[in-house]
Amino acid sequence: MAGPDGPESRRRVHCTPGPRWFAPDRPIRVVHGDASMFPGGLAALLLQSLHPLAMTAVADHSDYRNDPWGRLARTSTFLAYTTYGAADDAQRAVDRVRAVHQHIRGRTPDGEPYHAADPHLLAWVHSAEAYCFLTAHQRYGRHPLNAAGRDAYVADMARVATALGVEHPPTTVAELRARLDSYRPELRLTPHTREAVRYVLLRPPLPAPVLPPYLLLGAAAVSLLPAWSRRRLDLPVLPRTERWCVRPAGAAVTALIRYLLPPAPQRRA
């Protein structure tokens, strides 16, 4: 978990006694505990930005430009509590997000209304995350899942999505891909999307020494996106370059992050 409260939050998540939403052997724990979540998270941000309602809501109500690490910390903390935390803490994390969503509403520049608690919009955000997290894990994760494990991961994610207000979330990889495809008529490149893509890939608020590995991580994230989404984002599709350059570089950066991550605290028996 990111942020200054990360160590204390990690202790609470992993050491608080009580039942969990997910057993230790569930695929969601394997995926969310791996460094592949870093390129997967960037890919999810890029894919989610294609929906004009979701992107306008972020642009209007999020301070991601001035406080990107605060947003990252909140997102990682939510994932940690719902994936690993005690059931009561997981439910409180969901309740906080749902309360915030109730107040996020407005209109796009074209006058189309949006509400962050809209189940249809929530399902898009959820599906983009599940697809990108899983795709990143299969490419860069230490222990890629087999076919049954991939379906089980999507089913695990559906548990969290339902708690957040998503109606009938996908529970298999095939359903997940079909759900993403169903949104394609609604997706488009807007000025807000262009700004977000440039910010995520080219202008992150990072010190100079960290920029080279981050840019490699960004290229790895782009390579995870469906080809149709990359064309809509005006991002290149270069199969040979990705196979021989981007993927090895992405694997190296992810391995470095994995090496640097602190181990999870152990709960006392």
Side-chain angles (χ1 to χ4, degrees):
M1 284 175 284
D5 297 329
E8 178 57 35
S9 294
R10 281 193 293 272
R11 282 191 291 272
R12 180 177 177 88
V13 166
H14 294 282
C15 299
T16 299
R20 265 64 180 162
W21 281 2
F22 302 105
D25 62 345
R26 291 304 301 174
I28 193 171
R29 288 189 165 220
V30 176
V31 174
H32 292 180
D34 192 85
S36 59
M37 287 290 285
F38 284 80
L42 290 179
L45 292 176
L46 295 170
L47 185 56
Q48 289 167 351
S49 73
L50 270 175
H51 199 294
L53 301 186
M55 190 61 242
T56 302
V58 170
D60 288 351
H61 298 272
S62 169
D63 195 25
Y64 77 91
R65 301 174 195 84
N66 297 319
D67 186 25
W69 310 124
R71 186 165 187 254
L72 172 63
R74 290 187 291 273
T75 300
S76 64
T77 299
F78 174 82
L79 288 171
Y81 275 117
T82 52
T83 303
Y84 305 101
D88 289 345
D89 284 339
Q91 186 60 55
R92 277 190 286 269
V94 166
D95 292 343
R96 284 193 295 269
V97 171
R98 295 194 69 160
V100 171
H101 283 170
Q102 287 298 326
H103 299 287
I104 297 177
R105 61 177 74 230
R107 291 183 178 272
T108 68
D110 296 331
E112 190 174 1
Y114 65 80
H115 184 199
D118 175 9
H120 182 72
L121 200 56
L122 288 171
W124 162 252
V125 173
H126 164 76
S127 298
E129 285 185 350
Y131 175 86
C132 291
F133 294 167
L134 181 58
T135 303
H137 186 79
Q138 293 306 106
R139 185 170 299 174
Y140 298 118
R142 176 178 285 172
H143 302 293
L145 304 174
N146 60 21
R150 294 193 291 273
D151 282 343
Y153 172 74
V154 178
D156 286 348
M157 284 289 279
R159 164 73 174 87
V160 181
T162 299
L164 283 170
V166 177
E167 297 175 353
H168 310 296
T171 57
T172 67
V173 171
E175 290 178 4
L176 177 60
R177 289 173 177 160
R179 185 67 61 89
L180 280 178
D181 284 342
S182 73
Y183 281 89
R184 288 174 65 172
E186 304 173 32
L187 308 179
R188 62 179 183 271
L189 184 62
T190 68
H192 282 319
T193 303
R194 287 186 185 276
E195 181 183 1
V197 170
R198 286 196 298 268
Y199 184 85
V200 169
L201 295 180
L202 301 176
R203 299 202 308 265
L206 292 170
V210 183
L211 273 177
Y214 178 87
L215 294 176
L216 291 175
L217 202 65
V222 170
S223 74
L224 299 171
L225 297 172
W228 57 263
S229 69
R230 292 165 64 177
R231 288 190 289 268
R232 295 198 186 186
L233 288 166
D234 281 346
L235 296 172
V237 180
L238 304 170
R240 291 184 180 179
T241 300
E242 289 173 11
R243 177 177 298 178
W244 298 108
C245 299
V246 173
R247 291 191 183 188
V253 174
T254 304
L256 175 62
I257 295 171
R258 186 180 295 119
Y259 173 77
L260 295 174
L261 285 175
Q266 297 299 311
R267 186 162 33 137
R268 295 176 181 175

